[in-house]
Amino acid sequence: MSGPVPVVELENGAVVIGGRPILRGIDLTVGAGEFVALMVANGSGKSTLVRGLTGLLTLTTGTLDLFGTRLEHFHDWHRIGFVPQRTGAAGGVPASVWEVVASGRLTRRRLLRPLSRKDRAAIDEALAVVGLADLAHDGVSNLSGGQQQRVLIARALAGEPDLFFLDEPTAGVDLPNQYALSDSLAELKRRGATIVLVAHELGPLAGLVDRAVVMRDGRVAYDGAPLGDHEVHSPDFGEAHSHHHVRPQARHDHTPEVQSPLDADSRRQGPH
């Protein structure tokens, strides 16, 4: 019986920055509807991997397919939602919650075109999913860190993507807001979204994870059933749990640099 249709396929991926290898020999497949946690064992480059998977960072070697299309030919960026690490949901610009979430519709409409009824419905739905409908007209800068993180998730959700990448969404977030984030992601999972989550620890999100991928020293040390936080961070990690991938014969395809519409978002923490 075949598994879910792959939406992300990375083969022999590597990233070198400033002459220093950050990622080496990465093979990773994510199937449609999966909730995959990229976790760390003694430092790893997991955030670098997510940036490579979203086209924000150029692979030094390797091949990447998104939804069955090679990266250099992929243009359906509206199908991908990227939630960066929180550095202020409004990026220092005074804005309401609704305005920040509305910016997530930019991938679905032409620039400067007025919001349609469908756009407004998607924005309102995104706010409802993350439980912030009652704060829609509040200033983002007045929210707690956890609430701002939920705004970023709603912004990505407003674009109605099929695949979500979330980079450390619970970092610096208090426990009640971690549970609120968990509820939001549980709803996305119920709707069939594919979710790739970067996390140091899972906390309340642990029950949502279908598969854990643990990075160590820029390589995949484990890819399999979900693990507890205590297992991932154990000094003996890898002795009893992890298995090493048998890589295919090395392919040194130099992926051309492809500018993703997510690129500007990553630099300025702006709309998506």
Side-chain angles (χ1 to χ4, degrees):
M1 183 175 179
S2 60
V5 176
V7 298
V8 177
E9 293 180 277
L10 175 63
E11 182 179 327
N12 196 37
V15 171
V16 176
I17 299 177
R20 178 184 170 215
I22 306 297
L23 300 177
R24 296 169 290 173
I26 303 293
D27 295 326
L28 178 67
T29 299
V30 179
E34 277 195 297
F35 192 125
V36 176
L38 290 178
M39 302 189 71
V40 56
N42 301 327
S44 61
K46 60 192 187 308
S47 293
T48 299
L49 176 56
V50 165
R51 293 173 66 82
L53 294 175
T54 54
L56 296 172
L57 191 64
T58 304
L59 296 173
T60 305
T61 63
T63 59
L64 172 63
D65 290 352
L66 298 171
F67 297 96
T69 301
R70 192 57 48 90
L71 176 64
E72 55 264 37
H73 302 300
F74 184 78
H75 303 293
D76 296 330
W77 294 105
H78 63 274
R79 301 189 70 182
I80 298 177
F82 177 60
V83 181
Q85 293 186 41
R86 178 181 56 83
T87 58
V93 178
S96 70
V97 170
W98 197 92
E99 288 169 334
V100 173
V101 176
S103 68
R105 290 299 292 177
L106 289 175
T107 58
R108 290 285 184 175
R109 64 188 181 90
R110 293 180 182 177
L111 191 64
L112 303 181
R113 185 175 181 177
L115 290 167
S116 67
R117 182 178 298 178
K118 182 178 180 181
D119 292 328
R120 292 178 181 277
I123 295 163
D124 291 342
E125 173 69 7
L127 284 166
V129 169
V130 300
L132 293 176
D134 59 335
L135 299 179
H137 300 294
D138 288 19
V140 172
S141 60
N142 296 327
L143 302 185
S144 70
Q147 289 171 325
Q148 288 191 21
Q149 188 65 63
R150 285 151 64 192
V151 170
L152 293 177
I153 292 175
R155 186 183 68 182
L157 179 58
E160 301 178 287
D162 302 307
L163 169 63
F164 289 85
F165 289 95
L166 298 99
D167 193 356
E168 297 275 16
T170 59
V173 173
D174 60 27
L175 193 57
N177 272 295
Q178 288 187 34
Y179 278 105
L181 284 168
S182 178
D183 290 342
S184 301
L185 295 180
E187 176 61 19
L188 295 183
K189 180 176 179 176
R190 186 188 69 78
R191 297 181 181 196
T194 305
I195 300 172
V196 178
L197 169 76
V198 172
H200 181 70
E201 293 183 342
L202 293 173
L205 305 181
L208 302 175
V209 174
D210 299 313
R211 191 170 123 228
V213 175
V214 182
M215 304 287 296
R216 170 178 273 172
D217 298 326
R219 296 181 182 273
V220 174
Y222 173 91
D223 184 342
L227 299 173
D229 291 336
H230 65 287
E231 296 177 286
V232 174
H233 298 290
S234 167
D236 298 323
F237 177 81
E239 297 300 321
H241 296 289
S242 65
H243 68 267
H244 295 275
H245 290 269
V246 178
R247 285 189 290 147
Q249 185 174 355
R251 294 172 57 182
H252 300 289
D253 302 319
H254 292 270
T255 305
E257 182 169 357
V258 178
Q259 291 297 321
S260 156
L262 303 173
D263 196 20
D265 175 84
S266 177
R267 289 195 298 268
R268 68 174 186 271
Q269 299 294 306
H272 187 279

